[in-house]
Amino acid sequence: MDNKVAKAYKAALPVSSPIMAGFMAIGLSCGLLTVVNGLPGWYAPLMSVVIYGGSLEFVTIAMLVGPFAPLETAVMALMIQSRHLFYGISMLGRYLGRDWRKAYLIYSLSDETFSINRSVDPPEGVDRTWFMVAVSSLNQVSWVAGTAMGALVGPMIPFDVSGLGFVMTALFTVILVENILKEGRPYFALIGFVSAVVCLAVFGSGSFLIPTLVLMLVLLLLFRKKIERKV
């Protein structure tokens, strides 16, 4: 392996390891759910490669065993994954000019990968593009491996692993706190918190994410000049 690539993976592993652990745990339950619903075990890793969308994969399992409804499936997939439109827009600058690796970075973008590649700077001497590729690939490989393991050995596990999904919530909390401390300006976090609380109260827990992202964008545009002056 090229030294530049090896250094990138070495730097990415510590920051990706909590996500990898969470992906393995949640992927395990996804693979288990796949076989419990009567689907072939190989469906789980295949979906992890083709779809690579945690919540969407859980929904896909239900749709595969339900009545054939392609239009409903397409609309549901768009609604669930449409938040990536916002992620993609904010990553345009970072992905610009990343040669052939840009395609993989776009394909492998997930909530957790976005959090790291957006907020974590690679150590000095580590190529940023390869660092982002390393983070993306480590996260995806752990998800695919988790779903495959769940499909293979999940039915034999004697205890419930679903609660391990809280690892992801804890991880996002840590990333948020570290980002606020590093930036020294809580305005963005405050806007995000207020937007989430308002949209949760109005739209409910099942459909508040997209309205939250839209409201955050509107508030950032409205208060942009005030925030820039304080910054």
Side-chain angles (χ1 to χ4, degrees), residues 71-129:
L71 181 59
E72 178 185 345
T73 302
V75 172
M76 181 67 70
L78 179 62
M79 290 178 60
I80 293 175
Q81 299 297 96
S82 58
R83 66 188 184 279
H84 289 276
L85 293 170
F86 297 89
Y87 298 162
I89 291 173
S90 66
M91 295 299 284
L92 285 175
R94 294 201 175 224
Y95 286 176
L96 186 64
R98 301 296 178 182
D99 54 61
W100 58 268
R101 292 165 292 184
K102 178 180 178 181
Y104 177 71
L105 290 171
I106 294 172
Y107 155 73
S108 58
L109 185 64
S110 66
D111 300 356
E112 297 77 13
T113 299
F114 167 80
S115 297
I116 293 181
N117 284 341
R118 183 65 185 174
S119 61
V120 176
D121 293 321
E124 185 177 352
V126 175
D127 182 81
R128 178 178 290 276
T129 303

Side-chain angles (χ1 to χ4, degrees), residues 138-168:
L138 287 172
N139 291 345
Q140 184 181 15
V141 167
S142 63
W143 176 256
V144 176
T147 56
M149 288 175 57
L152 289 173
V153 303
M156 297 181 286
I157 296 179
F159 55 88
D160 183 15
V161 298
S162 59
L164 293 177
F166 183 73
V167 169
M168 309 312 296

Side-chain angles (χ1 to χ4, degrees), residues 160-225:
D160 183 15
V161 298
S162 59
L164 293 177
F166 183 73
V167 169
M168 309 312 296
T169 303
L171 176 66
F172 276 119
T173 303
V174 172
I175 290 176
L176 172 64
V177 172
E178 287 186 346
N179 199 48
I180 293 175
L181 293 175
K182 183 176 71 173
E183 296 291 335
R185 46 189 182 184
Y187 313 115
F188 304 110
L190 182 60
I191 287 176
F193 177 76
V194 171
S195 300
V197 171
V198 170
C199 291
L200 180 63
V202 175
F203 298 98
S205 60
S207 56
F208 80 103
L209 182 57
I210 301 302
T212 297
L213 294 173
V214 173
L215 181 57
M216 286 172 58
L217 180 60
V218 171
L219 291 176
L220 286 171
L221 290 174
L222 287 175
F223 296 103
R224 177 182 174 183
K225 293 184 178 179

